[in-house]
Amino acid sequence: MARHTKEEKLKAFGEFLDVLDTLRVKCPWDAKQTNESLRPNTVEEVYELCDALISEDTPNIRKELGDVLLHVAFYSKIAEEKDQFDIADVCDSLVEKLKFRHPHIYGDTHVDNAEEVAQNWEQIKLKEKKGNKTVLGGVPSALPALIKANRIQEKAQNVGFDWEEPHQVWDKVKEEISEVDVEIKNGDKDAIENEFGDLLFSVVNAARLYGVNPENALEKTNKKFIKRFNYIESKAKEAGKNLKDMTLAEMDVYWNEAKKL
């Protein structure tokens, strides 16, 4: 597919905004939407985009990006109707922020690699007007726990709070496993939960140190497990069996078949 020119992109974006303006006036559903009513749909759309991205489903990535873009423009339209801001203000603010956070491109700061860019980024955000007052202040509280753990650790790393060598993290992982084992033997449910949290946090840390995004890694394993378990279920049905009546050994036969697919 040929790349569009800048003029073609601007025309397409303008037509999209025209359609949204029309729908906001003429469509009963679009006309009644508010920030509150749209928010749950926005969360769903972002997750659907994430699902398409991890599946590398190009047609759906394109589709879901459009859905997310619609929500960005819709919130801007609602704000415009309240004389708060419009989509141009959103773009202007973003451009201003991007230029401010990239002094190695739009200023005289020198960097040698992506790691130095990330370190500068965190320091710049602390200096921004109305910006985060602490290193971890910019981590959204509503993030899912796994993503939040990774983000917390990335921010700490950017100010130098990190292991000197990646292999050092494994001693911490082993320590946390031992502490989980101790509390399981003690039978203290609260302590078990706390130690499992520490263990998961340390595993996320290990993944980060080896360049693995833990959210993506876990989701790929989720999809792999679902595919294999669905195979077990389908083979059981073909054999006229109910999963609940099968032994683990019987299910393992199908599981090992699924692993070869």
Side-chain angles (χ1 to χ4, degrees):
M1 181 178 177
R3 293 178 61 182
H4 292 92
T5 64
K6 183 177 180 179
E7 290 72 21
E8 289 171 331
K9 293 174 185 176
L10 290 172
K11 180 183 177 184
F13 191 68
E15 289 178 350
F16 157 59
L17 293 179
D18 288 342
V19 169
L20 178 58
D21 288 345
T22 299
L23 294 178
R24 183 66 173 166
V25 173
K26 295 186 176 181
C27 173
W29 187 90
D30 289 286
K32 74 174 186 178
Q33 296 311 306
T34 64
N35 287 343
E36 252 184 69
S37 67
L38 283 174
R39 183 180 176 278
N41 292 342
T42 304
V43 174
E44 182 179 340
E45 296 297 353
V46 171
Y47 274 110
E48 288 179 355
L49 171 60
C50 291
D51 190 54
L53 288 168
I54 203 165
S55 300
E56 297 184 353
D57 184 345
T58 301
N60 262 331
I61 292 173
R62 173 178 169 174
K63 172 183 172 293
E64 299 303 340
L65 280 171
D67 291 341
V68 172
L69 177 60
L70 171 60
H71 282 245
V72 172
F74 214 139
Y75 290 121
S76 300
K77 180 63 180 176
I78 291 171
E80 180 181 353
E81 293 166 355
K82 298 177 180 178
D83 292 324
Q84 296 171 337
F85 60 84
D86 61 17
I87 191 68
D89 294 311
V90 173
C91 293
D92 287 342
S93 296
L94 179 57
V95 168
E96 180 183 358
K97 179 168 67 175
L98 288 174
K99 287 184 175 180
F100 182 73
R101 291 186 181 179
H102 290 79
H104 54 290
I105 304 296
Y106 298 99
D108 55 9
T109 300
H110 175 77
V111 294
D112 292 318
N113 51 52
E115 288 71 25
E116 289 184 11
V117 172
Q119 290 169 5
N120 286 343
W121 183 279
E122 294 300 334
Q123 294 301 319
I124 290 168
K125 284 197 287 187
L126 289 173
K127 296 175 184 176
E128 280 181 342
K129 201 178 208 180
K130 297 182 181 179
N132 304 319
K133 303 303 182 186
T134 64
V135 171
L136 302 181
V139 180
S141 59
L143 279 179
L146 184 64
I147 298 175
K148 186 189 293 185
N150 192 54
R151 195 71 190 100
I152 288 170
Q153 292 169 15
E154 287 177 340
K155 284 183 171 289
Q157 174 198 30
N158 287 335
V159 294
F161 189 76
D162 202 6
W163 301 97
E164 293 179 358
E165 297 292 338
H167 67 83
Q168 294 173 323
V169 74
W170 296 114
D171 288 336
K172 184 63 176 175
V173 173
K174 292 172 185 176
E175 175 189 326
E176 298 299 348
I177 292 174
S178 297
E179 291 178 2
V180 168
D181 186 51
V182 168
E183 296 305 337
I184 287 175
K185 290 174 181 175
N186 290 339
D188 185 331
K189 289 186 177 181
D190 288 338
I192 292 171
E193 181 181 64
N194 288 337
E195 294 303 337
F196 261 112
D198 291 346
L199 172 58
L200 290 171
F201 195 84
S202 66
V203 170
V204 169
N205 211 353
R208 176 187 60 80
L209 287 166
Y210 286 94
V212 174
N213 183 295
E215 170 70 17
N216 292 345
L218 182 58
E219 181 56 16
K220 287 177 180 177
T221 296
N222 288 340
K223 288 181 176 295
K224 182 168 59 179
F225 183 91
I226 290 170
K227 181 180 178 181
R228 291 175 181 176
F229 193 83
N230 285 345
Y231 179 86
I232 294 175
E233 193 170 20
S234 66
K235 296 299 286 187
K237 285 181 180 179
E238 287 176 15
K241 299 178 181 178
N242 189 312
L243 285 179
K244 291 183 178 179
D245 299 327
M246 294 176 65
T247 66
L248 183 58
E250 289 174 321
M251 286 190 279
D252 270 343
V253 172
Y254 293 139
W255 179 265
N256 289 327
E257 288 179 9
K259 288 170 67 175
K260 297 176 183 178
L261 296 179

